[in-house]
Amino acid sequence: IGLDPSKLLTFDVTLSGARLSGNPSAHFDELLRRIPDVPGVVAAAGAVTLPIGGDDFGARVSAEGQPPPPPGAEPRIGYQIVTPGWFDTLGLHLRGRDFASSDDGSRGHVVIVNETFARSTWQDGGALGRRLRKGRNPSNPWMTVVGVVSDVRHSGPGKPARPAIYEP
């Protein structure tokens, strides 16, 4: 599947009541800050959905300099929102750089793509420094590729890895 789940522990977190007011992401930040203090925990990270978890978020993107596909024929790719450290926590190989806490969109938008996306989008597979835009709306911001991560077979071991992008 592209990762070794034998030493991973996962769980869902749902906020309710007062925790939803103000800044809900602060509660998740605090949880991720405290989890590594638990004996035996080496690293902690978060994502909107888990690999092999059954959820299937997707996005349509266009790559700068590539001819756009006809309307409605854009490929649907995997889409995930993750915290810094996600790839290292899962033991995935990352070329380029990981997300940083400063990747909040205030200094430009960044994205990490998987190897399948890089190969299927650019003939040379060279994705670092290239730009993508979600959807077809020209007012959507460009996202600069800062990393290429190894593939995870999100739909299980019997299906090939799909092209995927990750945002902070």
Side-chain angles (χ1 to χ4, degrees):
I1 60 175
L3 58 93
D4 178 6
S6 67
K7 294 184 180 181
L8 296 176
L9 172 67
T10 65
F11 56 90
D12 291 327
V13 176
T14 303
L15 297 180
S16 62
R19 289 190 171 119
L20 286 175
S21 63
N23 182 5
S25 67
H27 296 287
F28 291 110
D29 293 342
E30 176 67 10
L31 182 62
L32 287 175
R33 188 189 65 72
R34 294 176 61 184
I35 288 175
D37 294 339
V38 174
V41 173
V42 176
V48 172
T49 63
L50 296 172
I52 322 299
D55 290 325
D56 187 27
F57 289 117
R60 299 194 190 283
V61 298
S62 55
E64 185 177 45
Q66 299 290 338
E74 302 95 340
R76 187 172 181 272
I77 60 161
Y79 175 74
Q80 179 63 273
I81 298 172
V82 302
T83 63
W86 172 255
F87 307 108
D88 189 51
T89 299
L90 292 182
L92 302 176
H93 176 71
L94 177 66
R95 286 188 332 249
R97 72 167 178 90
D98 196 353
F99 296 128
S101 57
S102 59
D103 289 327
D104 59 6
S106 63
R107 298 181 325 198
H109 298 273
V110 296
V111 65
I112 292 174
V113 302
N114 72 352
E115 291 172 344
T116 295
F117 182 91
R119 284 190 309 272
S120 65
T121 304
W122 296 285
Q123 285 184 343
D124 63 1
L128 293 175
R130 296 209 169 146
R131 299 192 318 165
L132 306 172
R133 178 182 283 148
K134 282 193 289 190
R136 296 181 65 86
N137 186 340
S139 67
N140 289 345
W142 285 108
M143 302 176 295
T144 302
V145 177
V146 296
V148 178
V149 68
S150 55
D151 290 334
V152 172
R153 293 178 180 229
H154 185 83
S155 299
K159 296 190 178 179
R162 65 182 179 181
I165 64 170
Y166 300 83
E167 281 193 271

